[in-house]
Amino acid sequence: MPSSSSSSAPTPAAPSKMYADDVSVVVVLLDANPFFWSSAASPLPFSSFLSHVLPFLNSVLLMNQMNQLVVIATGRNYCDYIYDSSAPTNRKTGNGKMTALSCDLVAKLEEFVVKDEKLGKGESNGAVMSSLLSGSLSMALCFIQRIFRSGTFHPHPRILCLHGSPDGPEQYVAIMNAIFSAQRSMVPIDSCYIGALNSAFLQQASYITGGVYLKPQLMDGLLQYLTTVFATDLHSRAFLQLPKSVGVDFRASCFCHKKTIDMGYICSVCISIFCKHHKKCLTCGSVFGQAQSDAASETNKRKTIRT
Ligand SMILES: [Zn+2]
Ligand SMILES: [Zn+2]
């Protein structure tokens, strides 16, 4: 080899194939809605939930030393990044040991919950309120876009929603947009839903993006569910028997009242959904239904008169 080759362009940071193959970047959306966890709808206390989730998060990091883990807390009023394993403070210490994930994460989570509760003061009226899932999904996708743009070689990221709060139909449009954006970027959205009823949003998210939707039956075995279903990288997933979706609730929310509906009217121009008939589309202003057919029959009448 000529000596000049040694002074060529800088080599990529990591070898290509291996780095992109069995390495995981997992963005975990952790439901920290204080109103849900303090309500009767939550099947277990938040502290028990964390006692299952923290060992799982640690196991993801232990599977491969290049794995990256980001945790976003989803609250009632806001969302925030609460942990990133690639942050300089969370990297390996000088003696090669990993710094403890739990202390840092739990402290940040505590701050988050206090702030979220403060922001939502006076709002609680007994009913269980939904979490800001659309916000945390958008934050996760922004983070993933940054990874995509960071260079040619990067692991394949995925999103994992650990969720319990009920769906908020008012977030329908924002959540569907996030789901389609994830589908376009080929980012699977996995969901582990522990609420009382199934979550139509998460069922659709996992179905559309090719992720796994799981509703654990036994809360005592939550850690086992998490590690067997969600800990493996996307490459190894092809060799596993993962839970198949038994049915997806495809119901939509109307754009006019943000209510979940079984049947409705759809604008053929912009695909907005309405629960009742409108003369004009509230989104794009297209005239439809009776009004348009009246206009059409008017022109038809004119035509027939002319002929
Ligand atoms: Zn409506
Ligand atoms: Zn329209």
Side-chain angles (χ1 to χ4, degrees):
M1 286 281 276
S3 59
S4 61
S5 68
S6 60
S7 60
S8 58
T11 49
S16 63
K17 190 63 189 157
M18 194 200 85
Y19 190 37
D21 198 10
D22 61 347
V23 177
S24 301
V25 173
V26 191
V27 183
V28 177
L29 311 184
L30 189 70
D31 193 352
N33 181 355
F35 300 101
F36 166 72
W37 290 108
S38 60
S39 74
S42 87
L44 74 173
F46 190 49
S47 54
S48 319
F49 176 68
L50 278 184
S51 70
H52 289 279
V53 170
L54 291 176
F56 163 71
L57 297 179
N58 268 319
S59 69
V60 170
L61 288 175
L62 289 170
M63 296 276 274
N64 188 319
Q65 58 170 346
M66 286 198 284
N67 277 2
Q68 189 185 348
L69 180 76
V70 174
V71 181
I72 299 173
T74 315
R76 164 66 194 152
N77 300 289
Y78 87 119
C79 313
D80 204 2
Y81 295 100
I82 54 167
Y83 182 80
D84 180 358
S85 64
S86 69
T89 45
N90 297 326
R91 287 248 176 88
K92 278 179 190 171
T93 51
N95 55 13
K97 282 184 188 163
M98 299 285 283
T99 49
L101 169 141
S102 39
C103 319
D104 191 39
L105 196 145
V106 170
K108 280 269 179 66
L109 201 56
E110 217 168 285
E111 272 172 41
F112 175 87
V113 172
V114 169
K115 196 174 165 190
D116 192 38
E117 209 157 14
K118 234 181 242 172
L119 282 171
K121 238 177 197 165
E123 254 186 67
S124 179
N125 47 11
V128 175
M129 287 186 286
S130 55
S131 299
L132 208 55
L133 182 63
S134 55
S136 57
L137 270 176
S138 309
M139 282 173 84
L141 288 166
C142 289
F143 186 88
I144 287 169
Q145 281 305 318
R146 210 164 65 189
I147 296 173
F148 282 151
R149 285 157 206 218
S150 63
T152 329
F153 305 117
H154 51 74
H156 200 127
R158 65 182 193 267
I159 297 174
L160 169 61
C161 301
L162 300 176
H163 213 75
S165 307
D167 289 344
E170 71 284 353
Q171 296 177 53
Y172 177 73
V173 179
I175 288 180
M176 289 315 286
N177 283 338
I179 294 172
F180 291 131
S181 159
Q183 182 194 30
R184 207 181 149 85
S185 319
M186 293 199 290
V187 174
I189 301 177
D190 295 329
S191 1
C192 178
Y193 186 72
I194 60 155
L197 300 164
N198 277 308
S199 159
F201 285 166
L202 290 177
Q203 278 183 332
Q204 292 189 46
S206 298
Y207 179 81
I208 293 170
T209 59
V212 178
Y213 175 88
L214 177 76
K215 190 176 181 318
Q217 299 302 317
L218 296 166
M219 283 305 139
D220 291 342
L222 187 59
L223 174 60
Q224 207 173 325
Y225 284 112
L226 291 172
T227 44
T228 46
V229 178
F230 300 112
T232 41
D233 58 89
L234 291 175
H235 177 71
S236 312
R237 213 172 251 204
F239 308 103
L240 297 175
Q241 285 293 326
L242 294 170
K244 301 262 183 315
S245 66
V246 278
V248 180
D249 184 354
F250 282 114
R251 281 185 305 166
S253 303
C254 71
F255 286 28
C256 35
H257 307 90
K258 320 287 180 207
K259 274 192 312 194
T260 308
I261 51 171
D262 294 315
M263 271 182 152
Y265 296 85
I266 295 183
C267 169
S268 55
V269 178
C270 69
I271 328 186
S272 295
I273 302 158
F274 304 105
C275 61
K276 59 177 186 183
H277 183 264
H278 293 272
K279 284 186 175 168
K280 259 168 115 182
C281 173
L282 301 181
T283 312
C284 70
S286 306
V287 180
F288 43 60
Q290 205 56 49
Q292 205 171 37
S293 63
D294 279 353
S297 59
E298 195 84 348
T299 49
N300 278 349
K301 266 184 207 161
R302 272 189 221 144
K303 271 183 195 165
T304 45
I305 288 164
R306 264 186 220 162
T307 49

